[in-house]
């Protein structure tokens, strides 16, 4: 049985064009301006077809924290958000820091995950031999500053060795870049305050900038692929920009999250710990710098850092409330809403959520609508409205900072390897 998407416009080679798409099995078989006949047809009149989004940064929490999320609910949320591939972070229980844990997680994910998936290994000060042994590893996560899970790697000699191995084996090192010492000092200073807005003062711009500077200086010598996760400050971004121009700068990339693009410190007042996340959401000047960075390509890609916790956990006082914001269902609608408001081009969005993630993380045959590529697609109603409602979300963390907001740009169907959802 084959399937045709007819009468729609598809995003091909940098622009929207009238195109009928024939899908055979898991692949895109043919793209044509003229009529295509197939066993099954989906009429895409008035719709646009984009390559499925590739979210290179999610926490689906399994094994160990299934009460927060699991691979079924996480991937269900993903496909409702037009995301066809996810890459899961290693701060689970056990931590994905050994080959054994990696293989066990792969088995579990295969069984429950509806989307394509990749799995990060955690880099520790003492697990390089495990990382070296791992097969088909796309990426490792280096927690230079600690966050949920208290995993830490900040010994320079160990990082130098890791980067050399990354260069040799070709995997990407994604870095959580915040400086432990600065954060600890700030914590002491603000110990008495319970206001969620102090999060920005504890995990401040200096903490991010110092960490980024240090890891990038090691990378400059080693020449490995490095990816700065969830960039959150103007200084941090300027350091990445500078690094991209120097030796081995072509191996430097970075991502921004929807929450750092669409929220700023003025939102703590209303949303409190619901928007507590690491690195922190900072002032409006940072948000603007990040948005501009996405527009002018200083920032390579958008990833959700989907980090669900239970509502009960999040509602605790500042010190107890865990950091993290869910984002699978809202990333694409938020970005499409920004396109509708003429704040950014559709071209830039497709590059940032599909094309660049595929290129940086080595997802061959994904990220583009091309003959022979995987049929991972999303059908969008570009002017359709999507109201974010906590009680309609598929993530187990049934809350969103955008609860109640109506966005223009609606995900209608998601197609993964030729299989239609929605
Ligand atoms: O806010 C965050 N939550 N930042 C992280 O780095 C980790 C994540 C989580 O796993 O909860
Ligand atoms: Zn994360």
């Amino acid at each position: 049985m084959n399937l045709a998407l007819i009468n729609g416009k598809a995003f091909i080679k940098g622009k929207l064009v009238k195109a009928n798409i024939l899908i055979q099995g898991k692949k895109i078989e043919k793209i044509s301006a003229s009529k295509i006949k197939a066993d099954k047809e989906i009429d895409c009149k008035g719709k646009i077809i984009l390559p499925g989004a590739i979210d290179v940064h999610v926490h689906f929490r399994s094994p160990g924290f299934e009460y927060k999320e699991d691979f079924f609910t996480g991937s269900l949320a993903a496909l409702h958000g037009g995301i066809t591939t996810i890459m899961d972070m290693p701060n689970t229980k056990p931590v994905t820091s050994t080959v054994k844990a990696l293989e066990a997680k792969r088995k579990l994910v295969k069984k429950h995950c509806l989307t394509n998936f990749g799995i990060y290994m955690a880099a520790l000060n003492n697990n390089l031999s495990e990382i070296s042994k791992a097969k088909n590893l796309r990426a490792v996560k280096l927690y230079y500053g600690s966050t949920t899970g208290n995993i830490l790697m900040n010994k320079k000699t160990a990082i130098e060795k890791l980067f050399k191995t990354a260069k040799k084996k070709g995997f990407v090192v994604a870095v959580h870049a915040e400086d432990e010492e600065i954060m600890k000092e700030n914590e002491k200073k603000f110990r008495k305050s319970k206001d969620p807005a102090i999060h920005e003062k504890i995990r401040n711009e200096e903490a991010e900038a110092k960490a980024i500077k240090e890891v990038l200086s090691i990378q400059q010598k080693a020449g490995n692929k490095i990816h700065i996760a969830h960039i959150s400050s103007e200084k941090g971004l300027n350091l990445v920009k500078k690094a991209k121009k120097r030796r081995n700068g072509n191996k430097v990339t970075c991502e921004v999250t929807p929450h750092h693009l669409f929220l700023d410190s003025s939102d703590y007042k209303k949303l409190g710990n619901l928007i507590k996340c690491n690195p922190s959401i900072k002032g409006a000047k940072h948000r603007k710098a990040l948005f501009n960075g996405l527009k002018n390509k200083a920032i390579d890609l958008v990833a959700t850092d989907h980090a669900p916790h239970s509502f009960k956990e999040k509602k605790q006082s500042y010190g107890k409330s865990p950091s993290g914001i869910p984002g699978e269902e809202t990333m694409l609608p938020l970005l499409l809403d920004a396109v509708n408001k003429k704040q950014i081009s559709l071209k830039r969005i497709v590059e940032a959520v599909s094309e660049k993630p595929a290129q940086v993380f080595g997802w061959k045959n994904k990220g583009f609508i091309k003959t022979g590529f995987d049929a991972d697609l999303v059908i969008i109603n570009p002017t359709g409205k999507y109201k974010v409602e906590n009680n309609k979300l598929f993530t187990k963390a049934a809350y969103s900072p955008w609860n109640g907001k109506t966005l223009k740009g609606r995900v209608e169907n998601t197609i993964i390897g030729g299989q239609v959802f929605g």
Side-chain angles (χ1 to χ4, degrees):
M1 216 189 60
N2 53 17
L3 165 72
L5 310 182
I6 56 167
N7 303 326
K9 282 187 174 173
F11 198 86
I12 298 170
K13 288 190 190 150
K15 53 182 192 284
L16 276 179
V17 291
K18 274 190 181 169
N20 298 306
I21 299 173
L22 181 68
I23 297 167
Q24 177 74 53
K26 294 181 172 189
K27 301 277 176 192
I28 298 170
E29 167 112 344
K30 189 174 161 189
I31 302 167
S32 168
S34 45
K35 264 213 144 134
I36 284 182
K37 275 239 154 289
D39 304 326
K40 196 180 159 213
E41 288 174 355
I42 297 179
D43 188 0
C44 299
K45 191 163 193 296
K47 312 277 165 62
I48 61 175
I49 304 159
L50 306 179
I54 299 173
D55 186 359
V56 303
H57 191 151
V58 309
H59 300 262
F60 282 177
R61 305 294 190 207
S62 190
F65 301 100
E66 285 82 0
Y67 72 95
K68 294 179 196 258
E69 195 78 287
D70 60 47
F71 278 92
F72 178 70
T73 54
S75 63
L76 199 59
L79 63 88
H80 278 90
I83 294 163
T84 51
T85 299
I86 59 98
M87 293 182 68
D88 189 62
M89 285 297 169
N91 56 341
T92 45
K93 202 164 83 186
V95 172
T96 323
S97 59
T98 62
V99 172
K100 194 174 158 215
L102 174 69
E103 290 307 331
K105 198 178 201 183
R106 279 180 173 154
K107 249 194 211 155
L108 170 115
V109 180
K110 214 171 174 179
K111 212 162 143 192
H112 300 289
C113 193
L114 301 163
T115 59
N116 305 292
F117 64 88
I119 296 172
Y120 284 84
M121 263 182 103
L124 309 176
N125 286 319
N126 60 1
N127 77 335
L128 189 57
S129 65
E130 290 291 322
I131 289 175
S132 306
K133 274 189 275 174
K135 296 210 171 81
N136 303 320
L137 194 62
R138 277 173 207 281
V140 303
K141 178 72 176 285
L142 191 170
Y143 290 93
Y144 196 71
S146 59
T147 178
T148 312
N150 289 319
I151 309 168
L152 199 60
M153 183 189 199
N154 55 7
K155 285 208 176 110
K156 193 173 175 208
T157 48
I159 296 172
E160 283 167 346
K161 281 185 195 155
L162 171 73
F163 284 10
K164 274 188 195 150
T165 305
K167 159 100 182 177
K168 202 165 90 196
K169 299 197 91 183
F171 60 76
V172 178
V173 181
V175 183
H176 182 117
E178 289 188 286
D179 184 80
E180 255 333 80
E181 263 173 47
I182 293 182
M183 294 191 296
K184 289 230 165 87
E185 279 304 306
N186 290 339
E187 245 167 48
K188 275 189 222 154
K189 261 193 245 166
F190 296 106
R191 207 168 19 212
K192 290 208 178 106
S193 176
K194 282 198 161 49
D195 178 0
I198 57 160
H199 200 54
E200 176 202 13
K201 299 207 165 68
I202 294 173
R203 293 185 174 254
N204 63 6
E205 177 174 36
E206 299 309 323
E208 179 169 86
K210 181 161 181 256
I212 289 181
K213 203 170 183 180
E214 287 172 4
V215 290
L216 285 181
S217 101
I218 305 175
Q219 183 274 344
Q220 178 170 13
K221 289 193 201 97
N224 58 303
K225 289 183 207 156
I226 190 168
H227 179 72
I228 305 298
H230 42 46
I231 197 148
S232 71
S233 69
E234 190 173 28
K235 264 193 192 160
L237 178 58
N238 286 338
L239 287 165
V240 171
K241 261 193 222 168
K242 225 165 103 189
K244 284 184 176 207
K245 293 193 191 122
R246 47 85 165 147
R247 186 162 70 98
N248 290 323
N250 60 338
K251 308 265 176 62
V252 177
T253 55
C254 72
E255 85 196 13
V256 67
T257 70
H259 44 270
H260 291 105
L261 281 176
F262 294 106
L263 300 171
D264 61 46
S265 50
S266 66
D267 293 298
Y268 285 112
K269 219 176 190 170
K270 182 169 155 232
L271 296 164
N273 293 324
L274 277 190
I275 60 165
K276 182 185 179 193
C277 64
N278 304 335
S280 65
I281 285 166
K282 298 179 171 63
K285 91 169 179 159
H286 298 285
R287 193 188 76 76
K288 281 180 201 144
L290 297 170
F291 208 93
N292 277 331
L294 177 63
K295 276 166 66 168
N296 65 30
K297 300 192 184 186
I299 294 177
D300 298 87
L301 57 97
V302 180
T304 62
D305 193 6
H306 175 81
H309 299 283
S310 74
F311 191 65
K312 212 171 142 196
E313 287 173 315
K314 288 295 278 182
K315 286 313 255 183
Q316 297 172 101
S317 61
Y318 172 74
K320 287 191 182 144
S321 179
S323 292
I325 300 176
E328 291 301 85
E329 286 147 275
T330 41
M331 174 176 77
L332 213 45
L334 283 165
L335 294 171
L336 292 168
D337 188 65
V339 172
N340 270 310
K341 287 180 178 146
K342 303 212 177 325
Q343 292 166 344
I344 193 164
S345 68
L346 181 66
K347 181 171 190 287
R348 213 31 227 131
I349 297 308
V350 176
E351 283 168 358
V353 301
S354 303
E355 299 179 358
K356 213 54 206 273
Q359 288 167 338
V360 173
F361 288 85
W363 290 98
K364 275 192 202 141
N365 302 324
K366 293 195 188 297
F368 297 81
I369 302 181
K370 259 190 196 174
T371 307
F373 269 45
D374 295 346
D376 294 345
L377 302 164
V378 55
I379 303 173
I380 302 281
N381 179 346
T383 53
K385 294 201 169 122
Y386 168 65
K387 186 169 182 194
V388 185
E389 286 172 282
N390 282 350
N391 60 3
K392 291 198 177 140
L393 294 172
F394 290 88
T395 171
K396 282 188 191 175
Y399 55 85
S400 163
W402 296 282
N403 179 43
K405 199 170 168 137
T406 299
L407 302 165
K408 204 163 161 191
R410 193 184 162 82
V411 175
E412 298 276 332
N413 298 93
T414 301
I415 303 174
I416 303 179
Q419 202 184 335
V420 185
F421 296 90

